Amino acid sequence: MKRALILSGGGSRGSFQVGVWKYLQEKNWYPDLICGTSIGAINAVAIGSGLTVQEIANIWRTSGSNRDKIYKLKIFDFLANALFNRRLVPLMDTTPLKKMIQAAIDFNSLKQSKIEIVISAVNLNTALPEFFNQHEITVDHIMASSAMPIIFSPQKIGQVSYWDGGIMANTPILPALVYGADEIIVVLLSPVGQKTGLPEPKKLMEAAEHLMEQSLASSYQTTIMAQCFKIYSCKTPKIITIAPSKMLGIPSLLNFTQKQANLLMADGYKNACKELKNRL
């Protein structure tokens, strides 16, 4: 049986995926393929490089103790250039994140991973998603997959600029379908797409939150609907979806605090247990 694990994008909500991975390891469920986008790409590469679940969890817990380890705000430059219609200056400098990834990931071990690792980024020239596997992934590919438009700078790979893979394929399930996976576990970072009966938004911020959540889940929903019509493959794989228990709010996307990391890791573990207890 071919197994695949799909890790969606969703900023600092990515700690939820660590809780899911912890549960999967306890159940001795190991994928042949891991596909990740944005923060999901970072977690996928961390797993592929050989980091233990405890090591990954510790990185999540300690990085939030000092925001400057991840990004530096450039509010004045951002606003000044935006107001006077000058060149685009991103809201945040992610040089600290790049240094942290370089320090944490053993790229030689990644290339030798027995699990195939695939991450995505959007080519700014073609406006199409592109996929990269562990044999070619560098820190630049990871930064490209995580380069949220306007908030972060585009990332060059060679001479080509890329943006966050989540723009076009926030839940990169397509490679798993093409791969011919028989069993696919999808880890969303939004309750939209997994939960039903969400309340209708009554206020502006509630509407904005719903819009953002729906955009995070849109590629997943589109691919699942296409799969129902046998567009991608002739066989129907077993697909299990795990998602957060509740709406998390827009600020949760950039909240790298230890408190949120611990809460989401616990929620990921709990929801994995709930969804997978009698299905693996």
Side-chain angles (χ1 to χ4, degrees):
M1 174 184 285
K2 293 181 179 179
R3 293 171 165 174
L5 177 64
I6 313 300
L7 303 178
S8 295
S12 56
R13 296 179 183 180
S15 52
F16 179 88
Q17 295 168 348
V18 183
V20 175
W21 180 239
K22 179 182 179 183
Y23 181 83
L24 291 175
Q25 288 207 307
E26 289 180 3
K27 295 301 178 182
N28 292 312
W29 189 95
Y30 290 94
D32 303 290
L33 169 70
I34 302 179
C35 305
T37 288
S38 196
I39 196 63
I42 295 176
N43 283 333
V45 167
I47 294 169
S49 71
L51 291 177
T52 67
V53 66
Q54 190 59 51
E55 288 172 330
I56 299 172
N58 287 341
I59 291 172
W60 273 98
R61 292 188 180 104
T62 57
S63 62
S65 62
N66 184 355
R67 187 191 67 195
D68 288 344
K69 289 183 179 180
I70 303 171
Y71 60 82
K72 293 181 180 179
L73 288 171
K74 300 169 62 178
I75 296 177
F76 178 79
D77 289 343
F78 174 79
L79 291 176
N81 283 272
L83 289 172
F84 294 101
N85 199 29
R86 298 171 182 163
R87 65 183 179 87
L88 175 63
V89 173
L91 178 61
M92 298 177 182
D93 175 8
T94 54
T95 301
L97 174 61
K98 186 172 185 177
K99 290 180 178 178
M100 185 176 75
I101 292 172
Q102 287 174 314
I105 302 298
D106 183 335
F107 286 92
N108 289 326
S109 294
L110 176 65
K111 292 182 189 301
Q112 298 169 21
S113 173
K114 293 181 180 179
I115 303 172
E116 183 165 0
I117 307 296
V118 175
I119 67 175
S120 68
V122 173
N123 184 317
L124 277 177
N125 294 336
T126 64
L128 293 173
E130 294 184 12
F131 298 92
F132 309 94
N133 69 18
Q134 74 267 29
H135 301 297
E136 58 190 323
I137 292 172
T138 67
V139 69
D140 288 341
H141 292 83
I142 301 169
M143 295 302 294
S145 184
S146 310
M148 290 187 286
I150 301 176
I151 297 177
F152 299 160
S153 292
Q155 174 65 49
K156 281 190 177 295
I157 300 175
Q159 300 301 312
V160 181
S161 293
Y162 290 84
W163 257 348
D164 195 311
I167 302 169
M168 306 292 283
N170 192 55
T171 304
I173 194 172
L174 178 57
L177 297 175
V178 174
Y179 179 75
D182 303 292
E183 184 173 73
I184 302 173
I185 293 180
V186 179
V187 186
L188 302 177
L189 295 180
S190 168
V192 174
Q194 172 73 336
K195 308 298 180 184
T196 57
L198 293 173
E200 179 181 345
K202 302 296 185 182
K203 299 179 181 180
L204 177 60
M205 285 306 296
E206 291 175 356
E209 182 181 0
H210 273 247
L211 177 62
M212 182 203 68
E213 299 290 355
Q214 288 167 7
S215 69
L216 288 176
S218 60
S219 66
Y220 167 73
Q221 296 286 21
T222 301
T223 306
I224 292 298
M225 286 189 290
Q227 179 62 17
C228 290
F229 291 100
K230 306 293 185 181
I231 290 176
Y232 294 124
S233 65
C234 294
K235 67 179 181 179
T236 302
K238 176 184 177 183
I239 300 177
I240 304 171
T241 307
I242 303 167
S245 303
K246 60 182 180 180
M247 299 286 270
L248 299 171
I250 295 175
S252 66
L253 292 170
L254 289 170
N255 178 4
F256 287 92
T257 62
Q258 185 178 111
K259 180 180 179 180
Q260 174 168 291
N262 284 330
L263 287 172
L264 288 182
M265 281 189 275
D267 194 43
Y269 185 91
K270 180 188 73 174
N271 285 358
C273 179
K274 176 182 176 182
E275 296 295 334
L276 302 173
K277 189 174 183 179
N278 298 315
R279 301 177 73 178
L280 294 183

